[in-house]
Amino acid sequence: MSQDDLHRSCVDCAVTRCDNHTSNRPHPAFCVSQGLTEDQRQASLDQYLTDAEDRKLAQVAAGIESDGYRKWPRVKETILFAKRMGYHKIGIATCVALIRESRILAKMLRANGFEVYGVACKAGEIFKDALDIPPDHQGPGPVACNPVLQAQLLNEAGTDMNIVMGLCVGHDSLFYKHAQAVTTTLVVKDRVLVHNPVMALYTADGYYADLMKPIEE
């Protein structure tokens, strides 16, 4: 393996069959899968075999993928995933800009027998000054989003699973860091692309070609 290959990984590879038995294309020299040691493979398998929750999550996720493949929208997958996991109380961590969508989601969840508890990002009303955010970064308003409080309140509510609805970049990271329950994302915020961030990737050879170059601050 060359020195250059040592810095490459799955994102530099176009082979989507990661095992030798089903792939009809040769794997590159830097193939992550082919480079794994038996101990590394076994360690990941052992995690599923020794942790009952991880094993059930993997089993239920596989069932959802199999049953709903190219048939169910993600919201239906999410509802059925929660049902099959045996969850009862669902938390919603929502951006205030998606409160309407979160209210619709709550109605769907309640129609399916779930208890729902949602917390909006502006709950608690802390100000950006208190977080030492400089004045030139206080737009579009002085009230800060508070994903730590969202996580704390959902933890206190004892949610079995949380659903993230459009939290900002970084705010979602804080929520994931502090939430105790299993968390999935239903909506990823993109104010420019109508919450469809992958469109910037699809148009990277055209409208968003500038993103293929270093971005100046």
Side-chain angles (χ1 to χ4, degrees), residues 109-147:
L109 290 167
R110 286 167 176 152
N112 279 276
F114 295 104
E115 182 182 351
V116 180
Y117 189 78
V119 182
C121 61
K122 300 295 187 183
E125 195 179 66
I126 61 171
F127 289 87
K128 293 176 181 177
D129 285 337
L131 299 178
D132 295 326
I133 296 172
D136 59 341
H137 283 168
Q138 292 197 12
V143 179
C145 294
N146 196 346

Side-chain angles (χ1 to χ4, degrees), residues 204 206 208-217:
Y208 284 101
D210 60 314
L211 295 178
M212 301 299 290
K213 305 172 185 177
I215 300 173
E216 295 184 7
E217 289 283 348

Side-chain angles (χ1 to χ4, degrees), residues 173-188:
S173 303
L174 279 165
F175 179 82
Y176 300 136
K177 179 180 179 180
H178 293 278
Q180 294 174 353
V182 168
T183 299
T184 189
T185 300
L186 184 61
V187 178
V188 178

